[in-house]
Each structure stands twice: as C-alpha cells, then as structure tokens.
Amino acid sequence: MEGSGPPFRAIRRSKDQGGLLTCASQPARLAPILTLLSLLLISCGVGSIRCSSSTTTIHDNSTDMMSLLDFKRAITNDSSQALRSWHVGVPLCGWKGVVCSGPKHPGGVMGLNLRNLSLSGTISPSLGNLTFLRRLDLFSNGFTGEIPPLSRLQRLEYLDLGYNSLRGIIPDNLTNCSNLRDLSLSRNLLIGEVPSGIGRLSNLVSLQLGGNNLTGEIPPSLKNSSQLENIWLADNKLAGTIPDELGKLPNLSDLDLDANQLSGGIPETLYKYNRSSLQYLTLGSNMLGKTLPSNFGDTPLNLEALELEDNNFEGHLPASLGNISGLFLLDMSFNNFVGQVPSSFGNFGTLDYLNLRQNNLSGFIPIELGGLKLLNHLDMSDNSLQSGVP
Ligand SMILES: *[C@@H]1O[C@H](CO)[C@@H](O)[C@H](O)[C@H]1NC(C)=O
Ligand SMILES: *[C@@H]1O[C@H](CO)[C@@H](O)[C@H](O)[C@H]1NC(C)=O
Ligand SMILES: *[C@@H]1O[C@H](CO)[C@@H](O)[C@H](O)[C@H]1NC(C)=O
Ligand SMILES: *[C@@H]1O[C@H](CO)[C@@H](O)[C@H](O)[C@H]1NC(C)=O
Ligand SMILES: *[C@@H]1O[C@H](CO)[C@@H](O)[C@H](O)[C@H]1NC(C)=O
Ligand SMILES: *[C@@H]1O[C@H](CO)[C@@H](O)[C@H](O)[C@H]1NC(C)=O
Ligand SMILES: *[C@@H]1O[C@H](CO)[C@@H](O)[C@H](O)[C@H]1NC(C)=O
Ligand SMILES: *[C@@H]1O[C@H](CO)[C@@H](O)[C@H](O)[C@H]1NC(C)=O
Ligand SMILES: *[C@@H]1O[C@H](CO)[C@@H](O)[C@H](O)[C@H]1NC(C)=O
Ligand SMILES: *[C@@H]1O[C@H](CO)[C@@H](O)[C@H](O)[C@H]1NC(C)=O
C-alpha cells in the first residue's frame, strides 16, 4: 500500500491511546506538505493571479488532507486495501470515500463514506478537525477505541459509527453538533448514559443507539428533538419508565425499546391521543407491567406491529385492540394476561403473525379468528384455552 509505509506504522505503534500529535509524528506530517507544495509549483506559474486564487483552495485541502492521513495512519488493518488511493499523489477528491464540496457548499471535505470495508484500528481524533464534514459513515467496520471528539463539526448531519467495537461513553458534547439528523452508534460496546442533553439535537430524525450496554434512564429531553421519527434503543440496560414525552413527538413512527430493563406501564401519550404517525411499537423483553387500558385502540392508531412480549402485563386483553385494523404483527406472549381472547381479534384483516403463547388465557378460541386469511404464524400454546381452533 502506497502512503502508509513502515514510518507511519512505527509512529502508531509507539502510542496506544491515539495520541497522534506528538513530536514523533511531525516529520511524517511534513513530507506530504512538501510534496503538495512541489505539485503546486509545477502545476501553476509563480505569481499568476489564477494561481494565487487556487492556492487558497489547495491550502484548505491540505489541512483536510493532513487530517485524513492521520486517520489513515490510525488504521491498523486494511486488508482489502480500500484506502490504497489515499496518498498525496492522488488529488484529495479522488480518494476513495472522500466527498469534496461543490459550488453549492464551498469549503473542505464534505463527506467520508467508508461503510463496510473491514477497516480496523482506532478512529483518529483528527476527524474532529474536518469542520466542513456533513456526512461521516464508518458503519460496519472493525474500529476500536473511543468515539473521537467530534463536537466542533457544526455542519455534521449524518453520523453512523454503528456495527464497530467502540468502547467508552457517548460524549455529552456530541450534542454540540446541532445539525445532526441521523445519529447511529448502534452495535458497539458503549457504556454510560444516553447524554442528558440529547434534546439539544433539535434536527434529529433518527436516533439509533441499540445494541450497546447503555444504562440510566431514557432522557425526557428527547421531546425537544421534535422531528424524531425513529428511535432504536433496543438491547441495552436502560431502566426506569418510558417517558411520557416520547408520545408527544408528533412524527414518531418507530419506537423500539426492546430488551432493556424498563418498568411501569405504557405511557398514555403513545395511544390515547391521535397517534397516526406511530407504526411500530416494540417494547418486548422488559419489566413493563400493569393492565393494558381498555381503551387501547379506541383512538385512531395506524400501528402495524405491536410487540409487548416477555413482560409482566396482566389483566384482560382489551377488545379495543381489534380496532387497530392495520396490524400485521401482534406479540403478547410470555405475559400474565387472563380471560378470553377477544372476538374482535377477528377484525385483524391484514394480520400475519399472532403470538399469545404462555399467558393465563382461558375459554374457547373465538370462531372469528378463522377469518384471518393472511395469518401465517399463530401460537396460543401454554395457556388454558379449550382445544379446537375454528
Ligand atoms: C480541493 O478541493 C476542491 C473542492 O473542494 C477541488 O475542486 C480540488 O480539486 C481539490 N484539490 C485537490 C488538489 O485535491
Ligand atoms: C459487507 O460487505 C460484504 C462483502 O465484502 C457483504 O457480503 C456484506 O453483505 C456487506 N454487509 C453490509 C451490511 O453491507
Ligand atoms: C485483517 O482483517 C481481515 C478482514 O477483517 C482479517 O481476515 C485478517 O485476519 C486481519 N489481519 C490481521 C493481521 O489482523
Ligand atoms: C486540529 O487542528 C488544530 C488547529 O488547526 C491543531 O492544533 C490540532 O493538532 C488538530 N488536531 C488533530 C487531532 O488533528
Ligand atoms: C460547540 O460549537 C461551537 C460552535 O458553534 C464551538 O465554538 C464550541 O467550541 C463547540 N464546543 C465544543 C465542546 O466542542
Ligand atoms: C468532549 O467530551 C469528551 C468526553 O467527555 C472529552 O474527552 C473532550 O475533551 C470533550 N471535547 C471538548 C471539545 O470539550
Ligand atoms: C454488555 O455487558 C456484558 C457483561 O455485563 C457483556 O457480557 C456483554 O458482551 C456486553 N455487551 C455489549 C454489547 O457491550
Ligand atoms: C428543551 O427545550 C426547553 C424549552 O424550549 C428548554 O428549556 C430546555 O433547555 C431544552 N432542553 C435541552 C436538553 O435542550
Ligand atoms: C412532521 O412531518 C411533516 C410531514 O413530513 C412535516 O411537514 C412536519 O414539519 C414534521 N413535524 C416536525 C415537528 O418535524
Ligand atoms: C389524526 O391525525 C391525522 C394526521 O395528523 C389526521 O389526518 C386525522 O384526521 C386525525 N384523526 C382524528 C380522528 O383526529
């Protein structure tokens, strides 16, 4: 691989914590600058006006180039040579995954798209200097170490560091990136709490922090992120109750809090008012309890999937659930529901999956369920139901 020869490796090995800015790294940083300067001298005559205007642009690029070369230097394994174009002999905008600004957004490097390239090593803090960055996508690689300091990236709209092996906390000052619309740190090894100031991200549309070991409560400040549509916090260790505030997000479409340690009931705000935006409500494998209110489903709900399995819900299955006519998945298994299966369940014209396994349901299975023409999966085992599906 050109551009990441032995000198870079030697520098990297000499430190563990990604502290790439020691004196030792200066010679390595100088070499590309010198190459760049000589390229400049070759490509344009000394003193011409045209040349001096392009020098300004290239000066900006060279700062970005330094940051990106630092980033490359911190990568310990690039077995597919994905970054082989990353060296001073190739114009910056020709480097794989590097998106340069166009006339619409003048400035430096605007995007870094390095999804799923089997890169490993740490993420260099130098990325925090790419202040023109709008999109940073390192999804599905083998990055280790901590989330680098990105709080100066005021233009960042899309940040995906999901499916890596990042450790440590989610820095609170990440909420300084006030233009973030998509934030994904899912499937890493992160600990600590969801930053309490997350609501400062007022442009957030999608928040994906699932599959870590996050603790603490779901911050009520999320209601300030009023454009949120997707929240995925599943597979963590979040405790406390589901904040009422989540139900007040006007465009919330997908709320997945599966497999945490949440307790209490389902906030009324999620079903009592017109919640026509909500399509997927996934709250399985928690410690949620109480009865489901008899008016669940009375107000217009466009739910397509309702997953409450493996909790401590008790009482009757409300007949009003049958009003949620667009459901394709209903999972109430592994709870303590009692009484009969409501005949209104026969209204689920589009239902594909119905699981009521392991509750204390009794009586006959209503004949109306025979009308569920699209049902592919039905499990009512481990109850006290009378045999004979109609
Ligand atoms: C510097 O960036 C600008 C746009 O951001 C681009 O047009 C130009 O080709 C770049 N120069 C080099 C040497 O990569
Ligand atoms: C990642 O790339 C591999 C091939 O290198 C491909 O098989 C896999 O589906 C990709 N995964 C994702 C999530 O894009
Ligand atoms: C480098 O990464 C590739 C792909 O992930 C892996 O197969 C290989 O074993 C790694 N090499 C080293 C030296 O870790
Ligand atoms: C970021 O830029 C500042 C000022 O330009 C510089 O002092 C610092 O070393 C850079 N940090 C990294 C991690 O590259
Ligand atoms: C937050 O962003 C502002 C610019 O809006 C910047 O001046 C400040 O240094 C940033 N704070 C942190 C902690 O990075
Ligand atoms: C942001 O927070 C992290 C972790 O708490 C810290 O290491 C870093 O120095 C902070 N950055 C700024 C600019 O304050
Ligand atoms: C979470 O922590 C447990 C140990 O408490 C560990 O076994 C598990 O691998 C961790 N999971 C993640 C995603 O970090
Ligand atoms: C949320 O908005 C309220 C009122 O607009 C404000 O007082 C509060 O500081 C904001 N919280 C966060 C975390 O941004
Ligand atoms: C909700 O979505 C609609 C339609 O996309 C949009 O016009 C509206 O601004 C959004 N509301 C908020 C608070 O983001
Ligand atoms: C519910 O809200 C949707 C869109 O926000 C609207 O179209 C519909 O008329 C409302 N229904 C009721 C009964 O208020």
Side-chain angles (χ1 to χ4, degrees), residues 117-128:
L117 294 174
S118 304
L119 301 171
S120 53
T122 58
I123 305 177
S124 166
S126 66
L127 289 190

Side-chain angles (χ1 to χ4, degrees), residues 6-149:
F8 293 157
R9 276 171 203 245
I11 289 158
R12 188 180 31 69
R13 283 221 189 91
S14 67
K15 34 194 146 342
D16 298 330
Q17 304 286 325
L20 289 158
L21 296 164
T22 60
C23 303
S25 68
Q26 289 313 314
R29 289 162 60 83
L30 257 176
I33 294 175
L34 292 176
T35 317
L36 207 65
L37 283 177
S38 51
L39 282 178
L40 257 177
L41 290 173
I42 293 162
S43 63
C44 45
V46 183
S48 89
I49 290 167
R50 210 181 144 66
C51 183
S52 71
S53 81
S54 68
T55 328
T56 319
T57 317
I58 292 181
H59 175 75
D60 282 343
N61 291 5
S62 76
T63 318
D64 286 356
M65 191 180 263
M66 291 300 106
S67 300
L68 289 171
L69 286 173
D70 274 347
F71 172 78
K72 179 176 178 177
R73 227 166 275 147
I75 288 175
T76 50
N77 185 356
D78 176 10
S79 52
S80 65
Q81 298 201 20
L83 304 188
R84 67 179 167 275
S85 59
W86 284 41
H87 60 89
V88 291
V90 174
L92 184 57
C93 307
W95 292 13
K96 184 183 173 72
V98 172
V99 180
C100 281
S101 355
K104 203 173 144 205
H105 305 290
V109 166
M110 207 173 84
L112 195 53
N113 295 325
L114 300 172
R115 276 173 96 81
N116 196 23
L117 294 174
S118 304
L119 301 171
S120 53
T122 58
I123 305 177
S124 166
S126 66
L127 289 190
N129 272 352
L130 296 173
T131 50
F132 286 91
L133 214 53
R134 288 168 189 268
R135 185 182 178 94
L136 175 54
D137 187 354
L138 304 179
F139 170 83
S140 184
N141 283 289
F143 286 106
T144 51
E146 303 196 344
I147 297 173

Side-chain angles (χ1 to χ4, degrees), residues 218-237:
I218 300 171
S221 83
L222 268 181
K223 78 159 190 295
N224 280 18
S225 306
S226 58
Q227 304 184 44
L228 269 171
E229 294 176 8
N230 304 307
I231 299 179
W232 189 54
L233 301 177
D235 295 325
N236 278 298
K237 291 176 175 164

Side-chain angles (χ1 to χ4, degrees), residues 146-147 149-152 169-174:
E146 303 196 344
I147 297 173
L150 301 173
S151 57
R152 292 175 56 221
I169 60 160
I170 303 174
D172 204 22
N173 55 32
L174 194 60

Side-chain angles (χ1 to χ4, degrees), residues 188-189 211-213 237:
N188 278 290
L189 305 166
N212 285 291
N213 263 336
K237 291 176 175 164

Side-chain angles (χ1 to χ4, degrees), residues 258-273:
D258 208 68
N260 277 290
Q261 296 164 7
L262 298 165
S263 54
I266 303 179
E268 276 192 344
T269 49
L270 281 170
Y271 61 83
K272 191 168 172 185
Y273 311 102

Side-chain angles (χ1 to χ4, degrees), residues 306 317 321 327-333 341-342 344-348 350-357 359 361 365-366 368-370 372 374-381 383 385 389:
L306 177 59
L317 288 168
L321 281 173
L327 270 185
F328 72 83
L329 190 158
L330 180 61
D331 194 345
M332 300 290 199
S333 60
V341 178
S344 64
F345 279 20
N347 299 342
F348 293 137
T350 55
L351 201 66
D352 171 79
Y353 181 104
L354 176 60
N355 195 346
L356 303 177
R357 182 175 185 173
N359 280 287
L361 300 167
I365 295 171
E368 288 82 357
L369 291 197
L372 301 180
L374 299 180
L375 202 60
N376 278 312
H377 178 100
L378 174 65
D379 192 345
M380 301 210 172
S381 58
N383 281 291
L385 293 162
V389 183

